[in-house]
């Protein structure tokens, strides 16, 4: 880890308007997310009022929970909802580790897993319950949409337009939930507008 990371982050925020940071551990073959060597960077992100997108597996959620407790005002986003399926996930898709993280009011969930969690073709109806469970646990104001763009590389199970259609029409969401998930939550997290 770079010792000048906190100073670099502060400069990027000041000079370039950076409003968030992405942290990775196991996925990039880096150390644990709660490694004390990285604490100054987490602290600087909290001081700068940034949102941290945590690209972590379910197995790393105890580390994320420690950071959520350590920095209760730092907004943490569970990218891909912790890989509900695929090479980085448990053998059977589950949302329990994600919904358990809802107990931290500073933790949010990104709903970018449907195409990978399904055993069915689009519109992936067998995975709709997972989105509903996460939205019910967090509230729509702490959930947000994502596409896994570029689709061909990260999720070739459907097109970009179909991914949008999932959230605008296919998933069992209210109009208010759709508004939060499709934009209002992101605007809150990154202070857009």
């Amino acid at each position: 880890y770079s010792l000048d990371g906190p100073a670099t982050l502060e400069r990027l925020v000041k000079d370039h308007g950076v409003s968030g940071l992405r942290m990775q551990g196991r996925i990039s073959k880096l150390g644990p997310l709660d490694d004390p060597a990285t604490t100054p960077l987490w602290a600087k992100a909290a001081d700068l009022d940034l949102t941290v997108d945590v690209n972590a597996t379910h197995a790393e959620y105890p580390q994320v929970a420690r950071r959520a407790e350590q920095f209760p005002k730092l907004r943490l986003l569970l990218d891909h909802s912790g890989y509900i399926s695929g090479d980085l996930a448990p053998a059977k898709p589950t949302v329990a580790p994600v919904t358990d993280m809802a107990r931290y009011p500073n933790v949010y969930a990104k709903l970018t897993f449907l195409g990978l969690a399904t055993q069915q073709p689009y519109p992936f109806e067998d995975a709709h319950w997972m989105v509903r469970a996460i939205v019910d646990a967090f509230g729509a104001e702490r959930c947000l949409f994502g596409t896994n763009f570029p689709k061909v590389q990260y999720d070739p199970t459907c097109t970009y337009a179909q991914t949008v259609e999932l959230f605008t029409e296919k998933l069992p969401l209210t109009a208010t939930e759709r508004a939060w998930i499709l934009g209002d939550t992101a605007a809150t997290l990154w202070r857009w507008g």
Side-chain angles (χ1 to χ4, degrees):
Y1 297 104
S2 171
L3 295 177
D4 68 346
T8 299
L9 181 60
E10 187 166 21
R11 181 179 50 75
L12 291 170
V13 169
K14 180 183 174 200
D15 296 346
H16 301 285
V18 168
S19 59
L21 177 66
R22 189 176 204 204
M23 296 285 221
Q24 298 188 353
R26 173 182 170 202
I27 291 162
S28 292
K29 297 181 174 77
L30 298 173
L33 292 161
D34 60 353
D35 184 330
T38 65
T39 299
L41 188 59
W42 290 87
K44 181 54 74 174
D47 290 345
L48 294 169
D49 195 28
L50 300 180
T51 293
V52 176
D53 178 305
V54 186
N55 194 12
T57 64
H58 289 176
E60 293 171 293
Y61 276 14
Q63 299 165 25
V64 178
R66 284 190 282 281
R67 291 300 189 187
E69 292 168 356
Q70 186 177 18
F71 301 105
K73 294 190 189 265
L74 180 63
R75 295 172 305 281
L76 304 176
L77 175 60
L78 303 175
D79 205 348
H80 307 293
S81 293
Y83 296 92
I84 289 172
S85 66
D87 295 343
L88 299 169
K92 183 178 178 189
T94 180
V95 296
V98 184
T99 57
D100 287 349
M101 291 296 287
R103 71 181 182 270
Y104 300 103
N106 57 327
V107 174
Y108 296 70
K110 193 182 332 173
L111 307 172
T112 50
F113 60 83
L114 278 129
L116 301 174
T118 187
Q119 298 298 312
Q120 297 177 354
Y122 178 83
F124 319 134
E125 290 181 4
D126 63 329
H128 289 192
W129 70 270
M130 297 176 193
V131 171
R132 186 73 261 161
I134 293 169
V135 171
D136 287 346
F138 282 85
E141 66 281 357
R142 289 173 50 209
C143 294
L144 70 149
F145 161 80
T147 64
N148 281 336
F149 184 85
K151 297 293 289 173
V152 173
Q153 180 179 358
Y154 295 113
D155 180 10
T157 60
C158 65
T159 66
Y160 179 87
Q162 288 173 319
T163 302
V164 173
E165 184 181 58
L166 272 172
F167 287 89
T168 59
E169 297 176 28
K170 302 295 183 185
L171 287 166
L173 300 167
T174 68
T176 300
E177 288 172 333
R178 288 184 203 288
W180 277 105
I181 292 167
L182 287 167
D184 291 349
T185 302
T188 300
L189 287 173
W190 289 286
R191 311 286 203 261
W192 296 336

